[in-house]
Amino acid sequence: MSSLAISLLDLEADSQVCLEADDYQKRPGKWCAGCGDFGALNAVKRLLAKEQLQPEKTVFVSGIGCSSRFPHYVNTYGFHGIHGRALPVATGIKLARPELDVFVTMGDGDCTSIGAGHWIHATRYNADMVVLMLDNNIYGLTKNQTSPTTPQGYASMTSPKGAVLPALDPLQATLGVSNASFVAQTADWVPAHLYATMQAAYDHPGFSFVRILQRCPKFTADVFQKNIENPDLTELLVHENGVDVPSLKQLFKARRVHDPKNIDDARALAHRTDKLRLGMFFRDDSLPVYEEIRAVPKISAEEKVARLNKEFERYAV
Amino acid sequence: MGTKATGQVNVEEVPEHTVEIITNSGEGAQKCAQIFGATCAKMGNGVWTVEIIPAEIEPPHHTVTSTSGNIIRFGTGKITNWGDQSKLAVAFNDQVLLSRHRLDSLRDDCIILLEAAWKDSEDEELRRMYDEAMEEMSSKNYRFVMVPYEEEALKIVDNPNHGKNMFALGLLAEIYQRDLSIIEKQIAHIFRFKPAKVTEKNIELVKAGIAWAKENLDFRFHIESVPFEEERIVMNGNQAAALGAIASGVELCAMYPITPATSVSHELAEIIENYGGIVHQSEDEIAAAGVAIGASYAGKVALTVTSGPGMALKTEFLALAIMIEVPLVVLNVQRGGPSTGLPTKVEQSDLLSSIYGQPGDAPRVVMAPRTIEECFHAMVTARKIAETFRMVVIVLTDANLATGVGQFTRPELDVRWQQGAIDQSPIPEGLRPYEWDLETGLSKRIIPGMPGGQHTVTGLAHDEESLVSYHPSSNELGIKMRSRKLAVFQSTLMPPEIHGDDEGDLLVVGWGSTQGAIVDAVGRAREQGHKVSTCQLAFLSPLEPGLKKIFSRFNKVMTVEINYSDTPGDPYVTEDSRRYGQLAWLLRAHTLVDVECWTSCPGQPLRPRDIYNNIIAQLESTEKGVAA
């Protein structure tokens, strides 16, 4: 409880921003009470308001699942597509219109299972977008099936005796991809950290992968319970170039200074299972961004026709 | 005729000839044929070429399964298909030649310029294979001329496999009196990415071939060249589609490598950046569809290019595009199926899956260019339809068009085909994202960036506001509106053109690339006095209008297609169980006419003679049926 109280206090401090944030909400989210998606939506609204993003120049793209309903609740353009395929759509949008701000919301099944191929390659393309992977360790919308991130032994409708495999770690996987440029982890029960992480993700020019740990009140309500009850089981990664929320110092005693430029340390930390780690694992703003390296000069229609006519000369009889 | 003995050269005047270049895979038959075909076209001959390619890059040599090659049919007038049989063959070994013999591809009196080295090879096994092959081929009256390709090539290059093809090109240049300066230009173009000395060596080889032929061959053919009045260009169907895509304003082509579609993206990758566009090679076929849809949603003219297995993978995304009414052009260069099937070979088996391939009701336009020229124009038309109707348009070509080289009138380009600035005007208050016109199903396309237009597109059932809605009447309305657009589009189409009389005993109906062969076959039947006509459909979804009326003026209607249908009389095949060709199935359903079909899936284009024979068989059986 103490952790929640402190986080809420932190939100209160920004209440003015919260008011404007509501302008970015199109309609109330239709998730279950207590769903972690609400926390993500609140943080997103605050971020949009803080950045004063133009609603018509902002696109939220999603796949299928509880968290993929996200775009319906945001007062911007939205693309609620098909299961696992949000990233190719978002890549296409970014290639076509680099000036648009693109956000992607995906669940753990969406991103790390059916969409796993796209996740790996979108990481490598490094198109400039904020990618929120809302990870509740379960398939919620289809009612309680094991996902790749379900903890080993955790029972579901498809694994009644408990998940048979060790959970897939999305951070390890993302950090293993060439050209990965931003990898962070945060949690729905630490809203201040969630917001600060989103802000950093937005500021990063490139593919900002944020794993948001969250509870599904129906099927994985207890999955992070011990971390919520005992903040000492969580270690915050802090650095002047990373995410560091001063107000969290009191609650989270375990703090590790980690330079997010250091990929080897980032990978080593992602591999360790002794503690839950929140913070920025890796960030490199200098890596090539796909829509920038693929940018080509605009050609007028008249010039195109002239060039194509010239092209025909190659084939002329 | 054959090797020159007397110093006399016999020149035979012919209206057309068909030449095969048959080699092991990796010996350069394609380059030789491309240059020869292009040269014929540039000299003013009609040309049609067909590739013979194994799916592997370089399978074991000197076997009947390693054949790689090309067939070039060229003549004084227009050539629209590969014809019946070849009259002259360049063969680099007896085994690849044998494979063509077994396919009955060579005319009984075919002249065969065969590599001389194998007959007396030091390898006993090769000698035995040679003898057996020659024995098997002795059933025909082929006229063999032994040519020391390898020996001659070795005089100029170290690796004969990188030189024999150009030496052979020299032979053909002399036999058919081709213009050397055109050949030289073509060589320079093909090797434009290589050092200049590669071009020089190749030209030297061609000249050696010409010299050898002058010295040793006593026959020549003369095919009159009649330069066309209008300006013409020569290319294959994939090149035509790629240039058509650029002409249509495409600025993003998302693709994943797949045969035989890939060369469209090769062509685009080389030039599209000069047109402000890019080729995006995706991680898979699904992502290619997703990227194209994302780009189109954001206002770019986007294209995805694939073949059968890729179409299967894109299925769900295409349904999404149809559901959210995002314009999209999909080019499916059909190959043999199912599954991996015949990757390099022609088939027309994706018709029904292209029309009906999605779960749920997912109306879309399906069109099939009938000629290489139409591969160009279809891309322009497809884009226009896609944007006007907020529709998915699938363009079905096939391996025959994709790799067949032919010539056509140089297109007149129009700047209006290109994309203007993306519409970013404000959305009037109250305009809903799917403000369907209840008559036509059409609605204004809203693109990100338009102020006041914010909404979320969704693959879920939705209402006019684009809100998820499971209400019965809202779902019925959405389904009806998406389908209505197809009916409206059909109202803009003309009935198909009939080749031949408007009435008669038999109407042959084809679609797509078979047009040339069918028209030839029907022409022969008409010369014999048969009352046969034909029409070739270019739109399959929706079908062109007026078919029932047209069909009613013929005693019988028969489709000709390169796909599977049961043969009546085969074991277990009954009236009840019989499976029809895909177009026949479609036409039977749409017209309630008892449409017959003759189909075949040999992995190669149809021969006019086979179509002709089946026309005659159909006429005879209809006559019998009428008499009974």
Side-chain angles (χ1 to χ4, degrees):
Chain A
M1 279 311 290
S2 59
S3 64
L4 270 181
I6 285 190
S7 303
L8 284 172
L9 276 176
D10 194 62
L11 261 180
E12 281 300 305
D14 278 340
S15 60
Q16 262 194 318
V17 178
C18 281
L19 281 176
E20 291 177 357
D22 282 345
D23 296 339
Y24 287 94
Q25 179 136 14
K26 189 178 272 167
R27 58 183 69 84
K30 287 210 278 182
W31 295 297
C32 306
C35 178
D37 292 343
F38 285 110
L41 181 57
N42 280 331
V44 159
K45 282 158 53 185
R46 282 179 66 197
L47 176 70
L48 298 188
K50 155 104 190 329
E51 296 295 333
Q52 289 298 299
L53 295 187
Q54 284 176 267
E56 70 271 20
K57 295 276 174 64
T58 308
V59 187
F60 275 76
V61 184
S62 67
I64 292 295
C66 291
S67 55
S68 285
R69 293 297 180 96
F70 212 98
H72 287 282
Y73 310 134
V74 188
N75 187 21
T76 65
Y77 277 90
F79 192 113
H80 178 206
I82 54 178
H83 197 24
R85 321 287 175 211
L87 290 170
V89 171
T91 306
I93 293 170
K94 230 22 213 183
L95 277 174
R97 303 279 301 281
E99 77 277 14
L100 298 175
D101 276 308
V102 174
F103 292 77
V104 176
T105 57
M106 301 180 286
D108 40 310
D110 210 37
C111 174
T112 70
S113 194
I114 192 169
H118 307 312
W119 163 40
I120 300 300
H121 290 277
T123 302
R124 179 170 166 247
Y125 294 137
N126 194 33
D128 184 14
M129 55 182 76
V130 174
V131 179
L132 307 175
M133 204 276 272
L134 298 109
D135 189 349
N136 59 9
N137 292 189
I138 202 79
Y139 286 84
L141 193 61
T142 48
K143 295 188 180 151
N144 197 19
Q145 295 84 24
T146 301
S147 99
T149 61
T150 303
Q152 189 169 19
Y154 202 90
S156 79
M157 298 301 280
T158 46
S159 308
K161 294 179 200 161
V164 295
L165 290 170
L168 181 150
D169 187 326
L171 301 180
Q172 291 176 20
T174 314
L175 286 165
V177 177
S178 312
N179 213 36
S181 69
F182 184 108
V183 179
Q185 179 157 271
T186 184
D188 74 331
W189 62 91
V190 199
H193 193 269
L194 173 61
Y195 175 74
T197 308
M198 270 192 204
Q199 177 73 58
Y202 178 76
D203 293 340
H204 168 67
F207 188 86
S208 308
F209 182 81
V210 182
R211 182 194 192 195
I212 304 173
L213 301 171
Q214 63 178 59
R215 295 150 293 173
C216 167
K218 297 287 180 204
F219 306 122
T220 55
D222 57 345
V223 75
F224 298 114
Q225 199 56 34
K226 61 180 197 309
N227 294 88
I228 293 166
E229 284 170 1
N230 181 5
D232 293 345
L233 296 178
T234 299
E235 182 177 77
L236 295 187
L237 303 180
V238 295
H239 192 270
E240 56 180 343
N241 297 325
V243 174
D244 192 0
V245 185
S247 63
L248 295 176
K249 267 185 190 167
Q250 219 181 326
L251 180 64
F252 293 98
K253 303 281 187 279
R255 292 159 57 85
R256 176 191 290 266
V257 176
H258 163 65
D259 181 352
K261 259 204 148 0
N262 190 326
I263 187 82
D264 294 329
D265 284 357
R267 285 174 180 155
L269 287 167
H271 270 274
R272 284 172 61 169
T273 52
D274 53 330
K275 278 197 166 137
L276 183 67
R277 289 190 171 77
L278 304 182
M280 195 184 297
F281 283 73
F282 184 67
R283 174 171 174 171
D284 184 345
D285 289 6
S286 71
L287 293 172
V289 171
Y290 194 61
E291 67 272 22
E292 287 173 8
I293 55 182
R294 298 309 311 274
V296 286
K298 184 111 191 101
I299 311 291
S300 74
E302 289 74 14
E303 179 61 21
K304 282 189 197 179
V305 168
R307 289 185 183 185
L308 193 51
N309 265 321
K310 214 172 153 203
E311 206 81 54
F312 285 154
E313 299 303 329
R314 262 169 60 187
Y315 302 95
V317 168
Chain B
M1 180 180 292
T3 309
K4 197 167 170 181
T6 60
Q8 282 286 76
V9 169
N10 174 42
V11 181
E12 190 183 341
E13 195 74 33
V14 290
E16 62 161 85
H17 240 219
T18 305
V19 174
E20 276 190 30
I21 299 158
I22 35 188
T23 70
N24 288 325
S25 205
E27 287 183 326
Q30 307 302 342
K31 280 204 172 72
C32 172
Q34 273 169 25
I35 297 168
F36 185 69
T39 304
C40 293
K42 282 174 186 277
M43 288 178 68
N45 290 132
V47 173
W48 189 274
T49 75
V50 172
E51 286 184 5
I52 310 160
I53 21 179
E56 301 79 14
I57 297 297
E58 217 172 308
H61 279 187
H62 213 106
T63 65
V64 286
T65 55
S66 66
T67 313
S68 170
N70 212 305
I71 295 170
I72 310 117
R73 183 181 177 203
F74 62 111
T76 304
K78 212 172 177 182
I79 303 284
T80 62
N81 63 82
W82 70 331
D84 289 334
Q85 284 177 312
S86 300
K87 295 173 183 172
L88 185 140
V90 166
F92 284 177
N93 70 62
D94 42 277
Q95 296 302 305
V96 294
L97 176 65
L98 186 59
S99 74
R100 304 302 302 160
H101 164 79
R102 286 179 180 168
L103 284 171
D104 200 22
S105 184
L106 310 171
R107 243 171 78 127
D108 189 56
D109 59 353
C110 185
I111 299 165
I112 295 167
L113 306 173
L114 180 61
E115 168 64 66
W118 309 114
K119 186 174 186 296
D120 304 313
S121 168
E122 286 170 14
D123 186 326
E124 193 185 331
E125 177 64 9
L126 291 181
R127 279 204 313 276
R128 186 190 59 76
M129 285 163 70
Y130 178 89
D131 291 342
E132 285 177 12
M134 295 306 269
E135 174 62 29
E136 187 176 334
M137 289 186 283
S138 68
S139 58
K140 297 279 175 128
N141 297 308
Y142 299 148
R143 289 177 286 174
F144 286 96
V145 178
M146 294 301 159
V147 181
Y149 295 105
E150 184 155 335
E151 192 187 318
E152 291 294 323
L154 275 172
K155 291 177 185 167
I156 297 165
V157 288
D158 298 334
N159 181 352
N161 289 347
H162 296 158
K164 286 190 291 190
N165 60 338
M166 290 296 139
F167 180 80
L169 178 61
L171 298 189
L172 296 175
E174 176 60 23
I175 292 168
Y176 294 102
Q177 300 293 296
R178 302 290 95 177
D179 185 333
L180 183 60
S181 69
I182 296 176
I183 291 176
E184 287 177 350
K185 269 189 212 149
Q186 289 299 310
I187 290 175
H189 175 67
I190 280 197
F191 296 107
R192 64 194 179 283
F193 300 124
K194 298 256 170 81
K197 72 169 192 292
V198 175
T199 295
E200 287 161 22
K201 275 273 181 238
N202 278 287
I203 291 171
E204 198 182 334
L205 284 155
V206 171
K207 286 180 175 163
I210 292 171
W212 192 91
K214 277 189 200 292
E215 187 72 21
N216 295 288
L217 299 179
D218 67 351
F219 61 93
R220 305 286 184 274
F221 294 100
H222 184 251
I223 293 166
E224 187 70 33
S225 302
V226 185
F228 295 91
E229 277 179 21
E230 77 279 10
E231 278 190 82
R232 289 172 80 81
I233 52 177
V234 56
M235 61 182 68
N236 69 36
N238 274 358
Q239 289 168 324
L243 295 182
I246 287 175
S248 81
V250 165
E251 287 188 347
L252 185 136
C253 170
M255 51 70 67
Y256 182 82
I258 186 166
T259 305
T262 318
S263 65
V264 175
S265 24
H266 293 175
E267 185 73 20
L268 284 172
E270 192 182 334
I271 61 172
I272 197 170
E273 293 189 8
N274 301 330
Y275 299 85
I278 61 165
V279 169
H280 168 76
Q281 181 175 333
S282 285
E283 60 270 23
D284 60 34
E285 291 280 0
I286 297 174
V291 167
I293 289 168
S296 176
Y297 163 77
K300 275 265 188 236
V301 182
L303 166 73
T304 181
V305 177
T306 192
S307 297
M311 278 300 278
L313 287 164
K314 292 181 197 298
T315 300
E316 191 188 8
F317 250 134
L318 298 190
L320 175 71
I322 291 164
M323 187 64 153
I324 63 179
E325 304 189 48
V326 161
L328 181 70
V329 177
V330 182
L331 173 61
N332 173 4
V333 184
Q334 297 170 97
R335 63 192 224 183
S339 189
T340 312
L342 299 167
T344 57
K345 304 200 185 287
V346 63
E347 213 168 279
Q348 296 181 304
S349 292
D350 295 353
L351 176 59
L352 293 179
S353 64
S354 291
I355 302 175
Y356 299 113
Q358 274 67 25
D361 191 59
R364 86 296 308 266
V365 171
V366 177
M367 53 193 287
R370 298 164 293 195
T371 60
I372 292 167
E373 178 173 25
E374 285 187 357
C375 290
F376 179 92
H377 293 286
M379 299 307 290
V380 179
T381 310
R383 184 247 163 156
K384 181 77 181 157
I385 298 166
E387 298 211 353
T388 306
F389 294 88
R390 297 182 69 181
M391 180 84 87
V392 168
V393 180
I394 297 174
V395 179
L396 286 178
T397 67
D398 59 37
N400 184 25
L401 290 172
T403 59
V405 175
Q407 64 207 162
F408 57 91
T409 308
R410 180 183 171 134
E412 293 258 3
L413 302 171
D414 190 325
V415 287
R416 289 169 303 178
W417 297 346
Q418 296 297 326
Q419 179 173 34
I422 293 172
D423 186 359
Q424 297 285 273
S425 55
I427 292 301
E429 206 168 318
L431 183 84
R432 298 171 297 177
Y434 295 100
E435 189 93 30
W436 290 304
D437 177 295
L438 296 178
E439 286 279 309
T440 62
L442 298 174
S443 54
K444 180 180 169 62
R445 180 178 172 199
I446 299 176
I447 297 168
M450 291 173 141
Q454 296 93 283
H455 68 286
T456 294
V457 296
T458 176
L460 281 162
H462 48 265
D463 60 15
E464 294 98 318
E465 307 262 11
S466 196
L467 298 180
V468 176
S469 168
Y470 306 136
H471 197 280
S473 62
S474 148
N475 192 48
E476 300 248 31
L477 179 65
I479 285 183
K480 188 177 278 189
M481 291 295 95
R482 290 188 293 273
S483 181
R484 182 68 53 78
K485 295 187 291 183
L486 214 55
V488 173
F489 173 61
Q490 203 224 23
S491 74
T492 69
L493 295 176
M494 302 284 285
E497 194 186 328
I498 311 286
H499 301 266
D501 297 323
D502 285 349
E503 56 180 30
D505 291 331
L506 178 66
L507 177 71
V508 178
V509 186
W511 65 280
S513 74
T514 51
Q515 175 169 274
I518 293 176
V519 169
D520 266 14
V522 167
R524 284 182 213 175
R526 292 178 64 80
E527 277 169 24
Q528 302 296 315
H530 298 291
K531 291 178 181 158
V532 185
S533 300
T534 181
C535 68
Q536 193 79 4
L537 301 180
F539 284 94
L540 290 314
S541 170
L543 282 164
E544 288 154 45
L547 294 179
K548 195 165 181 167
K549 202 166 169 193
I550 292 169
F551 292 1
S552 72
R553 297 194 289 258
F554 291 86
N555 290 339
K556 198 74 200 169
V557 178
M558 174 176 87
T559 68
V560 169
E561 311 176 56
I562 314 178
N563 53 40
Y564 180 77
S565 63
D566 284 332
T567 307
D570 272 3
Y572 290 95
V573 173
T574 65
E575 194 70 23
D576 286 341
S577 70
R578 182 176 167 196
R579 297 176 64 228
Y580 285 84
Q582 298 196 8
L583 178 62
W585 188 96
L586 203 59
L587 295 177
R588 291 170 72 89
H590 274 263
T591 64
L592 295 179
V593 170
D594 187 12
V595 174
E596 259 301 332
C597 61
W598 175 71
T599 76
S600 169
C601 21
Q604 56 183 26
L606 298 181
R607 300 280 194 187
R609 62 161 183 211
D610 293 334
I611 300 171
Y612 171 81
N613 290 339
N614 282 283
I615 287 171
I616 300 303
Q618 183 60 49
L619 285 168
E620 283 168 359
S621 88
T622 311
E623 221 167 80
K624 256 188 242 157
V626 170

